[in-house]
Amino acid sequence: MTAPVETARPGFARAAPAVLRQAVTVLGSLVTIVVLWEGYKFIGDRTDDTWPLTNIGLPVSSDDLTMPHASDIWSAFWAPVQRGGSDSLAVFLVKASWFTLREAALGFAMGTCIGLVLAAIMLRSHFAERGVLPWVNISQTVPLIALAPIVVTWGRTNGWGDTLSVALISTYLTFFPVAVNGLKGLQSPQAADIELMRSYAAGWRDTLFKVRLPAARPYLFPAFKLAGTLSVVGAIVGEISAGVRGGLGRAILDFAGRYSTGPAKVYAAVIGAGLLGLFVFGLISAAERFFVRGPQGSGT
Amino acid sequence: MTAVQISGAGMTFNPGSDNAVRALDDIDLTIGHGEFVSLIGPSGCGKSTLLRLVGDLITPTTGSIEVFGKSAEQARLDRDYGMAFQQAGLFDWRKVAANIELPLELIGWSRSDRSARSKEMLELVKLDDFGDHYPWQLSGGMQQRVAIARSLAFSPRLLLMDEPFGALDEMTREHMQSELLRIHAKTATTVVFVTHSISEAAYLSNRVVVLSPRPGQIHSIIDVDLGERSDAIRETPAFFAKTTEVREALRAVEASA
Ligand SMILES: Nc1ncnc2c1ncn2[C@@H]1O[C@H](COP(=O)(O)OP(=O)(O)OP(=O)(O)O)[C@@H](O)[C@H]1O
Ligand SMILES: [Mg+2]
């Protein structure tokens, strides 16, 4: 039978907790990326930026200004941000991330609430579904870059402050996946489940909170994860549009402006933004593991 | 006294369209208080449809249905119904006990009353130790027993059951049948019970309603009077005679179809 095969599997893969296994995977892929990066630079350097044995040009120039060495990007993290400054770039980025995270969190919270309410409204009435859903979809075709300055201007003329404007821009990205997936999730219970509630003379609200919403969780959490990373993107774009200081958006803008004198810093800042997105993603995944248990969840 | 009064009820699905289905036609049936009535008939003859009409899950296209002297809808709103279907229909995210307590929660029972009742119900269906499990940790038959416990939890006046024991093995099935009869005898519950099993219908019922298909109509009604039921009854000539009677009615239906 299959039992001997099971026991013959390397002990690590079975015994190691999921977190550790995931860490190893992440580390492995990181190493792969660095090897590919440096390999590309190595080849480009030898062949004068052409594909080996041809004179077809490589798509990206491999010089140290365009593609700094991985080691330089690494050291940039630990060097002072400014000459004579006390904070290293890493510390600076953590502080900037914290600043951006708070805006993103506000945007995520508002976007999630709006998304859920929209989903409930669309569920309630087919008329609303037909009327609202197209607009929800269209909303995402408007480029954020075009919208952001408008929101910032509103904020300034109405005096609600730039932080809220940034959060609103983030909201704009986050409500969408929650509304769309949320509607699908709320509609997911079988007719028999809804009929059971009907037989108990349960009202719309009881049916929503005791059946539809719990049934929607497997649909909602993937949407939350997407919305979480989008909320960071929205906050960064919002900071850049509004010229808000202190966050990752401004940092990326500043470093990009001085690219030629410190290309590694720009890469470091981009990596910082990616890590923030990953952090938010991980946080929501942890919540998912806690809230969604079932036949296919970790509960078994 | 009358529990259910069905007068000239008919049900056509998708009326007026190409795929219109005349599921039931001109059904007249009166069910007395505390009576146990089974519906039996070939697949697709409209047993479930009739049950759903009584439960006000769907509305008849013709005729009327009264339950406890009021409209079926009013009876539903008054929470007179307990329902159990072939599919257990438990909620994955609720533990077994919480599933049973759901209707009690909706009615507004206190937490302690609810947990006392769900304990009692779990004992009844012989799942005492499973209150803290999730439904997907139980076998299909066990899930079905939970669903039955749930339908009985708030002591409904009218039990509507659609092949509730279909998924159970023979021994559990007979045990559940005895339990259902015990509950039925103890409480004043009226039961309408859909089944495919001839012996089940004969054993449980005061009357067996045999339906014929296309459109669903009442073919015949067989009175069963076996008195006090016990497992020993299943082996008596009287029981055997009744199952034969039901079987012959079903044969007649099949032959005419
Ligand atoms: N929602 C519906 N829409 C259209 N037709 C339906 C619907 N529900 C039932 N029907 C039709 O009504 C007829 C009776 O169905 P019903 O489910 O009541 O049969 P049944 O006697 O319960 O059968 P079974 O023993 O297989 O459960 C069938 O022809 C079925 O196709
Ligand atoms: Mg049926």
Side-chain angles (χ1 to χ4, degrees):
Chain A
M1 296 292 287
T2 52
V5 180
E6 285 287 324
T7 49
R9 271 175 65 187
F12 175 73
R14 270 161 34 88
V19 181
L20 201 59
R21 251 181 295 164
Q22 199 157 11
V24 169
T25 322
V26 168
L27 210 66
S29 48
L30 200 63
V31 169
T32 312
I33 290 169
V34 169
V35 167
L36 286 173
W37 180 270
E38 290 296 329
Y40 183 92
K41 279 178 69 68
F42 182 81
I43 292 169
D45 193 40
R46 294 302 132 99
T47 62
D48 216 358
D49 281 345
T50 59
W51 291 98
L53 307 177
T54 68
N55 51 10
I56 302 165
L58 286 173
V60 177
S61 164
S62 68
D63 63 284
D64 289 354
L65 185 63
T66 315
M67 293 176 63
H69 278 291
S71 60
D72 288 341
I73 297 173
W74 177 255
S75 7
F77 274 110
W78 314 111
V81 204
Q82 288 160 320
R83 218 183 303 267
S86 57
D87 276 355
S88 68
L89 179 60
V91 171
F92 174 80
L93 285 177
V94 167
K95 284 180 180 167
S97 297
W98 173 240
F99 185 92
T100 302
L101 181 62
R102 282 178 311 184
E103 295 161 342
L106 186 57
F108 178 79
M110 293 194 295
T112 302
C113 291
I114 292 173
L116 286 174
V117 168
L118 274 178
I121 290 171
M122 290 189 283
L123 173 77
R124 184 72 208 246
S125 113
H126 284 286
F127 181 72
E129 186 180 345
R130 264 176 295 146
V132 175
L133 199 53
W135 288 107
V136 170
N137 285 309
I138 288 169
S139 75
Q140 299 303 301
T141 66
V142 176
L144 200 61
I145 295 287
L147 197 78
I150 299 175
V151 176
V152 171
T153 309
W154 284 2
R156 295 210 174 127
T157 50
N158 293 308
W160 69 48
D162 284 349
T163 308
L164 190 57
S165 295
V166 173
L168 274 177
I169 293 162
S170 169
T171 302
Y172 189 77
L173 286 186
T174 51
F175 90 94
F176 174 74
V178 177
V180 171
N181 259 29
L183 176 61
K184 222 196 272 174
L186 292 177
Q187 289 171 336
S188 70
Q190 294 177 348
D193 295 342
I194 301 304
E195 281 183 349
L196 184 75
M197 294 302 278
R198 183 180 156 91
S199 82
Y200 296 141
W204 189 78
R205 271 193 29 198
D206 272 334
T207 308
L208 179 67
F209 286 109
K210 291 189 193 294
V211 179
R212 292 189 186 275
L213 204 54
R217 285 167 314 158
Y219 294 80
L220 281 175
F221 274 93
F224 289 160
K225 284 191 257 188
L226 185 59
T229 43
L230 284 176
S231 73
V232 174
V233 172
I236 289 175
V237 171
E239 285 174 357
I240 290 175
S241 304
V244 171
R245 308 194 146 270
L248 278 178
R250 186 63 190 208
I252 290 172
L253 202 64
D254 282 349
F255 294 148
R258 285 178 271 128
Y259 187 93
S260 55
T261 57
K265 272 187 188 171
V266 182
Y267 280 95
V270 167
I271 291 170
L275 286 178
L276 180 59
L278 213 59
F279 172 74
V280 170
F281 189 87
L283 220 57
I284 298 168
S285 299
E288 179 178 32
R289 265 197 287 284
F290 182 77
F291 283 111
V292 187
R293 291 182 195 176
Q296 63 282 69
S298 54
T300 39
Chain B
M1 217 177 36
T2 308
V4 181
Q5 174 83 54
I6 305 171
S7 328
M11 182 71 210
T12 304
F13 290 104
N14 317 314
S17 79
D18 284 346
N19 50 2
V21 179
R22 244 169 96 209
L24 288 173
D25 192 38
D26 200 21
I27 303 283
D28 287 304
L29 182 64
T30 305
I31 299 171
H33 244 290
E35 212 183 349
F36 197 124
V37 171
S38 286
L39 308 178
I40 197 166
S43 181
C45 69
K47 304 180 290 294
S48 300
T49 303
L50 184 52
L51 202 69
R52 289 155 57 78
L53 281 178
V54 176
D56 188 42
L57 295 178
I58 48 179
T59 319
T61 39
T62 61
S64 70
I65 294 168
E66 275 186 16
V67 178
F68 302 122
K70 45 199 171 184
S71 69
E73 182 183 17
Q74 192 55 48
R76 178 175 64 78
L77 294 175
D78 291 347
R79 297 187 162 119
D80 287 335
Y81 298 123
M83 299 198 191
F85 302 106
Q86 186 165 18
Q87 297 286 320
L90 303 176
F91 294 122
D92 268 353
W93 55 87
R94 283 177 167 253
K95 289 182 173 171
V96 164
N99 262 290
I100 296 174
E101 290 169 24
L102 173 66
L104 308 176
E105 221 173 288
L106 293 168
I107 299 174
W109 284 32
S110 75
R111 183 182 293 266
S112 57
D113 286 353
R114 293 200 308 255
S115 80
R117 174 53 69 93
S118 69
K119 248 206 179 82
E120 200 179 306
M121 287 294 128
L122 282 169
E123 265 166 46
L124 179 72
V125 294
K126 298 217 173 348
L127 289 171
D128 315 40
D129 299 330
F130 289 92
D132 264 342
H133 285 62
Y134 282 98
W136 36 270
Q137 295 171 319
L138 269 53
S139 75
M142 290 158 89
Q143 291 180 19
Q144 194 58 43
R145 277 139 73 194
V146 176
I148 291 160
R150 176 179 64 186
S151 72
L152 296 170
F154 62 106
S155 312
R157 297 168 75 189
L158 177 60
L159 257 183
L160 302 175
M161 307 181 103
D162 197 346
E163 302 183 45
F165 304 152
L168 304 183
D169 66 274
E170 196 65 23
M171 289 312 291
T172 314
R173 189 175 180 136
E174 289 189 359
H175 167 73
M176 288 304 302
Q177 288 170 0
S178 304
E179 283 306 322
L180 182 57
L181 281 181
R182 198 174 58 73
I183 292 160
H184 176 245
K186 207 175 73 180
T187 62
T189 314
T190 308
V191 186
V192 184
F193 190 96
V194 172
T195 178
H196 271 131
S197 160
I198 294 166
S199 62
E200 183 167 86
Y203 183 68
L204 293 175
S205 316
N206 301 118
R207 280 189 297 160
V208 178
V209 176
V210 181
L211 294 174
S212 63
R214 276 175 300 270
Q217 281 175 317
I218 294 180
H219 170 269
S220 52
I221 298 179
I222 296 163
D223 287 308
V224 185
D225 187 15
L226 294 173
E228 183 80 28
R229 255 72 50 94
S230 70
D231 281 337
I233 291 261
R234 295 180 197 274
E235 284 145 31
T236 59
F239 178 70
F240 186 71
K242 276 301 159 193
T243 54
T244 307
E245 198 178 332
V246 175
R247 183 171 294 114
E248 276 170 1
L250 276 172
R251 285 227 179 97
V253 166
E254 299 273 10
S256 67

Coordinates of all heavy atoms in Angstrom, one line a residue, chain A residues 189-190 192-203 206-207 209-217 293-300, chain B residues 52 55-59 73 76-83 85 89-94 99 102-103 105-106 134 136-137 150-151 154:
Chain A
P189 N -24.8 30.3 -0.9 CA -25.5 29.2 -0.2 C -26.5 28.5 -1.2 O -27.0 29.2 -2.1 CB -26.3 29.9 0.9 CG -25.5 31.1 1.2 CD -24.9 31.6 -0.1
Q190 N -26.7 27.2 -1.0 CA -27.6 26.5 -1.8 C -29.1 26.9 -1.5 O -29.4 27.4 -0.4 CB -27.5 25.0 -1.6 CG -26.2 24.5 -2.0 CD -26.0 23.0 -1.7 OE1 -26.9 22.5 -1.0 NE2 -25.0 22.4 -2.3
A192 N -31.5 25.2 -0.8 CA -32.0 24.4 0.3 C -31.7 25.1 1.7 O -32.4 25.1 2.6 CB -31.5 23.0 0.3
D193 N -30.5 25.7 1.7 CA -30.1 26.4 2.9 C -30.9 27.6 3.2 O -31.3 27.9 4.3 CB -28.6 26.9 2.8 CG -27.6 25.7 2.7 OD1 -28.1 24.6 3.1 OD2 -26.5 25.9 2.3
I194 N -31.2 28.3 2.1 CA -32.1 29.5 2.2 C -33.5 29.1 2.6 O -34.2 29.7 3.4 CB -32.0 30.3 0.9 CG1 -30.6 30.7 0.6 CG2 -32.9 31.6 1.0 CD1 -29.9 31.5 1.7
E195 N -33.9 28.0 2.0 CA -35.3 27.5 2.3 C -35.4 27.1 3.8 O -36.5 27.2 4.4 CB -35.6 26.3 1.4 CG -36.1 26.7 0.0 CD -36.5 25.6 -0.9 OE1 -36.2 24.4 -0.5 OE2 -37.0 25.8 -2.0
L196 N -34.4 26.5 4.3 CA -34.4 26.1 5.7 C -34.6 27.3 6.6 O -35.5 27.3 7.5 CB -33.0 25.5 6.1 CG -33.0 24.9 7.5 CD1 -33.8 23.6 7.6 CD2 -31.6 24.7 8.0
M197 N -33.9 28.4 6.3 CA -34.1 29.7 7.0 C -35.5 30.2 6.8 O -36.2 30.7 7.7 CB -33.1 30.7 6.6 CG -31.7 30.4 6.9 SD -31.4 30.1 8.7 CE -31.2 31.8 9.3
R198 N -36.0 30.0 5.6 CA -37.4 30.5 5.3 C -38.4 29.7 6.2 O -39.4 30.2 6.7 CB -37.7 30.3 3.8 CG -39.1 30.7 3.4 CD -39.3 30.5 1.9 NE -40.7 30.4 1.6 CZ -41.4 31.4 1.2 NH1 -40.9 32.6 1.1 NH2 -42.7 31.3 0.9
S199 N -38.1 28.4 6.3 CA -39.0 27.5 7.1 C -39.0 27.9 8.6 O -40.0 27.7 9.3 CB -38.7 26.0 6.9 OG -37.6 25.7 7.8
Y200 N -38.0 28.6 9.0 CA -37.9 29.1 10.4 C -38.5 30.5 10.5 O -38.4 31.1 11.5 CB -36.5 29.1 10.9 CG -35.8 27.8 11.0 CD1 -34.5 27.6 10.7 CD2 -36.5 26.7 11.5 CE1 -33.8 26.4 10.8 CE2 -35.9 25.4 11.6 CZ -34.5 25.3 11.2 OH -33.9 24.1 11.3
A201 N -39.0 31.0 9.3 CA -39.5 32.4 9.3 C -38.4 33.3 9.7 O -38.7 34.3 10.3 CB -40.8 32.5 10.1
A202 N -37.2 33.0 9.3 CA -36.1 33.9 9.6 C -36.1 35.1 8.6 O -36.5 35.0 7.5 CB -34.7 33.2 9.5
G203 N -35.8 36.3 9.2 CA -35.8 37.5 8.3 C -34.6 37.6 7.5 O -33.7 36.8 7.5
D206 N -31.3 37.9 9.6 CA -30.8 36.7 10.2 C -30.2 35.8 9.1 O -29.2 35.2 9.3 CB -32.0 36.0 10.9 CG -32.2 36.4 12.3 OD1 -31.2 36.9 12.9 OD2 -33.3 36.3 12.9
T207 N -30.9 35.7 8.0 CA -30.4 34.9 6.9 C -29.0 35.4 6.4 O -28.1 34.7 6.2 CB -31.3 34.9 5.7 OG1 -32.6 34.5 6.2 CG2 -30.9 33.9 4.6
F209 N -26.8 37.2 8.2 CA -25.7 37.1 9.2 C -25.4 35.7 9.6 O -24.3 35.3 10.0 CB -26.0 38.0 10.4 CG -25.7 39.5 10.1 CD1 -26.8 40.3 10.0 CD2 -24.5 39.9 9.9 CE1 -26.6 41.7 9.7 CE2 -24.2 41.3 9.6 CZ -25.3 42.1 9.5
K210 N -26.4 34.9 9.6 CA -26.2 33.5 10.1 C -26.0 32.5 9.0 O -25.5 31.4 9.2 CB -27.5 33.0 10.9 CG -27.6 33.8 12.2 CD -28.6 33.2 13.1 CE -29.0 34.1 14.3 NZ -27.9 34.3 15.2
V211 N -26.3 32.8 7.7 CA -26.0 31.9 6.6 C -25.1 32.5 5.5 O -24.1 32.0 5.2 CB -27.4 31.4 6.0 CG1 -27.1 30.4 4.9 CG2 -28.2 30.7 7.0
R212 N -25.6 33.6 5.0 CA -24.9 34.1 3.8 C -23.5 34.6 4.1 O -22.5 34.3 3.4 CB -25.7 35.2 3.2 CG -27.0 34.8 2.5 CD -27.6 35.9 1.7 NE -28.9 35.5 1.2 CZ -29.1 34.9 0.1 NH1 -28.1 34.5 -0.6 NH2 -30.4 34.6 -0.3
L213 N -23.4 35.4 5.2 CA -22.1 35.9 5.5 C -21.0 34.8 5.9 O -19.9 34.8 5.3 CB -22.2 37.0 6.6 CG -21.1 38.0 6.7 CD1 -20.9 38.7 5.3 CD2 -21.4 39.1 7.7
P214 N -21.4 33.9 6.8 CA -20.5 32.8 7.0 C -20.1 32.0 5.8 O -19.0 31.6 5.6 CB -21.2 31.9 8.0 CG -22.3 32.7 8.6 CD -22.6 33.8 7.6
A215 N -21.1 31.8 4.9 CA -20.9 31.0 3.7 C -19.9 31.8 2.7 O -19.3 31.2 1.9 CB -22.2 30.7 3.0
A216 N -19.9 33.1 2.9 CA -19.1 34.0 2.0 C -17.7 34.0 2.3 O -16.8 34.5 1.5 CB -19.7 35.4 1.9
R217 N -17.3 33.5 3.5 CA -15.9 33.7 4.0 C -14.9 33.1 3.0 O -13.9 33.8 2.7 CB -15.7 33.1 5.4 CG -16.3 33.9 6.5 CD -16.4 33.1 7.8 NE -16.9 31.8 7.5 CZ -16.7 30.7 8.2 NH1 -16.0 30.9 9.3 NH2 -17.3 29.6 7.9
R293 N -12.3 27.7 8.8 CA -12.0 26.4 9.0 C -13.0 25.5 8.4 O -14.2 25.9 8.4 CB -11.9 26.1 10.5 CG -10.7 26.8 11.1 CD -10.6 26.4 12.6 NE -9.7 27.4 13.2 CZ -9.4 27.4 14.5 NH1 -10.1 26.5 15.3 NH2 -8.6 28.2 15.0
G294 N -12.7 24.4 7.9 CA -13.7 23.6 7.3 C -13.1 22.4 6.7 O -11.9 22.1 6.9
P295 N -13.9 21.6 5.9 CA -13.4 20.4 5.4 C -12.1 20.6 4.6 O -11.2 19.7 4.6 CB -14.5 19.9 4.4 CG -15.7 20.8 4.7 CD -15.3 21.9 5.5
Q296 N -12.0 21.7 4.0 CA -10.8 21.9 3.2 C -9.8 22.8 3.9 O -8.7 23.1 3.4 CB -11.1 22.4 1.8 CG -11.8 23.8 1.7 CD -13.2 23.7 2.0 OE1 -13.6 23.5 3.2 NE2 -14.1 23.9 1.0
G297 N -10.1 23.3 5.1 CA -9.3 24.2 5.8 C -8.3 23.5 6.7 O -8.1 22.3 6.6
S298 N -7.6 24.2 7.6 CA -6.6 23.6 8.4 C -7.2 22.8 9.6 O -6.5 22.1 10.3 CB -5.7 24.7 8.9 OG -6.4 25.7 9.6
G299 N -8.5 23.0 9.7 CA -9.2 22.4 10.9 C -9.1 20.8 10.9 O -9.1 20.2 11.9
T300 N -9.0 20.2 9.7 CA -8.8 18.8 9.7 C -7.5 18.4 10.1 O -7.2 17.4 10.5 CB -9.0 18.3 8.2 OG1 -8.4 19.2 7.3 CG2 -10.5 18.1 7.9
Chain B
R52 N -43.5 20.6 -0.1 CA -43.0 22.0 -0.1 C -44.2 23.0 -0.2 O -44.1 24.1 0.3 CB -42.1 22.2 -1.3 CG -40.7 21.5 -1.1 CD -40.0 21.2 -2.4 NE -39.8 22.4 -3.2 CZ -38.9 23.3 -3.0 NH1 -38.0 23.1 -2.0 NH2 -38.8 24.3 -3.7
G55 N -45.4 23.3 3.3 CA -44.5 24.1 4.1 C -44.3 25.5 3.6 O -43.5 26.3 4.2
D56 N -45.1 26.0 2.6 CA -45.1 27.3 2.1 C -43.7 27.7 1.6 O -43.3 28.8 1.7 CB -45.5 28.3 3.2 CG -45.7 29.7 2.6 OD1 -46.2 29.9 1.5 OD2 -45.2 30.7 3.2
L57 N -43.0 26.7 1.1 CA -41.7 27.0 0.4 C -42.0 27.4 -1.0 O -41.2 28.2 -1.7 CB -40.7 25.9 0.4 CG -40.3 25.5 1.8 CD1 -39.4 24.3 1.8 CD2 -39.6 26.6 2.5
I58 N -43.1 26.9 -1.6 CA -43.6 27.4 -2.9 C -45.1 27.6 -2.7 O -45.8 27.1 -1.8 CB -43.3 26.3 -4.0 CG1 -43.7 24.9 -3.5 CG2 -41.9 26.4 -4.4 CD1 -43.5 23.9 -4.6
T59 N -45.7 28.3 -3.6 CA -47.1 28.7 -3.6 C -47.9 27.9 -4.7 O -47.4 27.9 -5.8 CB -47.3 30.2 -3.8 OG1 -46.3 30.9 -3.1 CG2 -48.6 30.7 -3.3
E73 N -48.7 30.2 4.8 CA -47.8 31.2 5.0 C -47.8 31.6 6.5 O -46.8 31.8 7.2 CB -48.0 32.4 4.1 CG -46.9 33.5 4.4 CD -47.2 34.7 3.5 OE1 -48.3 34.9 3.0 OE2 -46.2 35.5 3.4
R76 N -46.2 29.2 8.7 CA -44.7 29.2 8.6 C -44.2 30.4 9.4 O -43.3 30.3 10.2 CB -44.3 29.4 7.1 CG -42.8 29.5 7.0 CD -42.4 29.6 5.5 NE -42.9 30.8 4.8 CZ -42.4 32.0 4.9 NH1 -41.3 32.2 5.6 NH2 -42.9 33.0 4.2
L77 N -44.9 31.5 9.3 CA -44.5 32.7 10.1 C -44.7 32.5 11.6 O -43.9 33.0 12.4 CB -45.2 34.0 9.6 CG -44.9 34.4 8.2 CD1 -45.8 35.6 7.8 CD2 -43.5 34.8 8.0
D78 N -45.6 31.6 11.9 CA -45.9 31.3 13.3 C -44.9 30.2 13.8 O -45.0 29.7 14.9 CB -47.3 30.8 13.6 CG -48.3 32.0 13.4 OD1 -47.8 33.1 13.4 OD2 -49.5 31.7 13.3
R79 N -44.0 29.8 12.9 CA -43.0 28.7 13.2 C -43.7 27.4 13.7 O -43.3 26.8 14.7 CB -42.1 29.2 14.3 CG -41.3 30.4 13.7 CD -40.2 30.9 14.7 NE -39.2 31.7 14.0 CZ -38.9 33.0 14.3 NH1 -39.6 33.5 15.3 NH2 -38.0 33.6 13.7
D80 N -44.7 27.0 12.9 CA -45.4 25.7 13.2 C -44.6 24.6 12.6 O -44.9 23.4 12.9 CB -46.8 25.8 12.7 CG -47.7 26.7 13.5 OD1 -47.4 26.9 14.7 OD2 -48.7 27.2 13.0
Y81 N -43.7 24.8 11.7 CA -43.1 23.8 10.9 C -41.7 23.3 11.4 O -40.9 24.2 11.8 CB -42.8 24.2 9.5 CG -44.1 24.5 8.7 CD1 -44.3 25.8 8.1 CD2 -45.1 23.6 8.6 CE1 -45.4 26.1 7.4 CE2 -46.3 23.9 7.8 CZ -46.4 25.2 7.3 OH -47.5 25.5 6.6
G82 N -41.5 22.0 11.4 CA -40.1 21.6 11.5 C -39.8 20.8 10.2 O -40.7 20.0 9.7
M83 N -38.7 21.0 9.6 CA -38.5 20.4 8.3 C -37.2 19.6 8.3 O -36.2 20.0 8.8 CB -38.4 21.4 7.1 CG -39.7 22.1 7.0 SD -39.9 22.9 5.4 CE -41.3 24.0 5.7
F85 N -34.9 17.2 5.4 CA -34.8 16.7 4.0 C -33.8 15.6 3.8 O -33.0 15.3 4.7 CB -34.5 17.9 3.1 CG -35.5 19.0 3.2 CD1 -35.2 20.2 3.8 CD2 -36.8 18.8 2.7 CE1 -36.1 21.2 4.0 CE2 -37.7 19.8 2.8 CZ -37.4 21.0 3.4
G89 N -28.1 19.1 5.0 CA -28.2 20.6 5.0 C -27.7 21.2 6.3 O -28.3 22.2 6.8
L90 N -26.6 20.7 6.9 CA -26.1 21.3 8.0 C -25.1 22.4 7.6 O -24.5 22.4 6.5 CB -25.3 20.3 8.9 CG -26.2 19.1 9.3 CD1 -25.3 18.1 10.1 CD2 -27.3 19.5 10.2
F91 N -24.9 23.4 8.5 CA -23.9 24.4 8.2 C -22.5 24.1 8.7 O -22.3 23.8 9.9 CB -24.4 25.8 8.8 CG -25.7 26.2 8.1 CD1 -26.8 26.5 8.9 CD2 -25.8 26.4 6.8 CE1 -28.0 26.9 8.3 CE2 -26.9 26.8 6.2 CZ -28.0 27.1 7.0
D92 N -21.6 24.1 7.7 CA -20.2 23.6 8.0 C -19.5 24.4 9.1 O -18.6 23.8 9.8 CB -19.4 23.9 6.7 CG -19.4 22.7 5.8 OD1 -19.9 21.6 6.2 OD2 -18.9 22.8 4.7
W93 N -19.8 25.6 9.2 CA -19.1 26.5 10.1 C -19.7 26.4 11.6 O -19.1 27.1 12.5 CB -19.1 27.9 9.6 CG -20.5 28.5 9.4 CD1 -21.3 29.1 10.3 CD2 -21.2 28.5 8.2 NE1 -22.5 29.4 9.7 CE2 -22.4 29.0 8.4 CE3 -20.9 28.0 6.9 CZ2 -23.4 29.2 7.4 CZ3 -21.9 28.2 5.9 CH2 -23.1 28.8 6.2
R94 N -20.8 25.7 11.7 CA -21.3 25.5 13.1 C -21.1 24.1 13.6 O -21.2 23.2 12.8 CB -22.8 25.8 13.0 CG -23.2 27.2 12.9 CD -24.7 27.3 12.8 NE -25.1 28.7 13.0 CZ -25.7 29.2 14.1 NH1 -26.1 28.3 15.0 NH2 -26.0 30.4 14.2
N99 N -25.6 23.7 15.3 CA -26.6 23.5 14.2 C -28.0 23.2 14.7 O -29.0 23.7 14.2 CB -26.1 22.3 13.3 CG -25.4 22.8 12.1 OD1 -25.9 23.3 11.1 ND2 -24.0 22.6 12.1
L102 N -29.7 26.3 16.0 CA -30.0 27.4 15.1 C -31.4 27.9 15.2 O -31.7 29.1 15.4 CB -29.6 27.1 13.7 CG -30.0 28.1 12.6 CD1 -29.2 29.4 12.8 CD2 -29.7 27.5 11.2
P103 N -32.4 27.0 15.0 CA -33.8 27.5 15.1 C -34.1 28.1 16.5 O -34.9 29.1 16.5 CB -34.7 26.2 14.8 CG -33.7 25.1 15.0 CD -32.4 25.6 14.7
E105 N -32.1 29.7 18.4 CA -31.5 31.0 18.4 C -32.4 32.0 17.7 O -32.6 33.1 18.2 CB -30.2 30.8 17.6 CG -29.0 31.5 18.1 CD -27.8 31.1 17.2 OE1 -27.3 29.9 17.4 OE2 -27.3 31.9 16.4
L106 N -33.0 31.6 16.6 CA -33.8 32.5 15.8 C -35.1 32.8 16.6 O -35.6 33.9 16.5 CB -34.2 31.8 14.5 CG -33.0 31.6 13.5 CD1 -33.4 30.7 12.4 CD2 -32.5 33.0 13.0
Y134 N -17.5 19.2 14.2 CA -18.1 19.9 13.0 C -18.8 18.8 12.2 O -18.4 17.7 12.2 CB -17.0 20.6 12.3 CG -16.6 21.9 12.9 CD1 -15.4 21.9 13.7 CD2 -17.3 23.0 12.7 CE1 -15.1 23.1 14.3 CE2 -16.9 24.2 13.3 CZ -15.8 24.2 14.1 OH -15.5 25.4 14.7
W136 N -18.7 18.1 9.1 CA -17.9 17.4 8.1 C -17.0 16.4 8.8 O -16.3 15.6 8.1 CB -17.1 18.3 7.3 CG -16.6 19.5 8.0 CD1 -17.3 20.7 8.1 CD2 -15.4 19.7 8.7 NE1 -16.5 21.6 8.8 CE2 -15.3 21.0 9.2 CE3 -14.3 18.9 8.9 CZ2 -14.3 21.5 9.9 CZ3 -13.2 19.4 9.6 CH2 -13.2 20.7 10.1
Q137 N -17.0 16.3 10.1 CA -16.3 15.2 10.8 C -17.2 14.0 11.1 O -16.7 13.1 11.7 CB -15.7 15.8 12.1 CG -14.7 16.9 11.9 CD -14.3 17.6 13.2 OE1 -15.1 17.9 14.0 NE2 -13.0 17.9 13.3
R150 N -32.3 18.6 14.7 CA -32.6 20.0 14.5 C -34.0 20.3 14.2 O -34.6 21.2 14.7 CB -31.7 20.6 13.3 CG -31.9 22.0 13.0 CD -31.0 22.5 11.9 NE -31.3 21.8 10.6 CZ -30.5 21.9 9.5 NH1 -29.5 22.7 9.5 NH2 -30.8 21.2 8.4
S151 N -34.6 19.4 13.3 CA -36.0 19.7 13.0 C -37.0 19.5 14.1 O -38.1 20.0 14.2 CB -36.4 18.7 11.8 OG -36.6 17.4 12.3
F154 N -37.3 22.5 18.3 CA -38.2 23.5 18.9 C -39.7 22.9 19.0 O -40.6 23.7 19.1 CB -38.2 24.8 18.3 CG -38.6 24.8 16.8 CD1 -39.8 25.4 16.4 CD2 -37.7 24.3 15.8 CE1 -40.2 25.4 15.1 CE2 -38.1 24.4 14.5 CZ -39.3 24.9 14.1

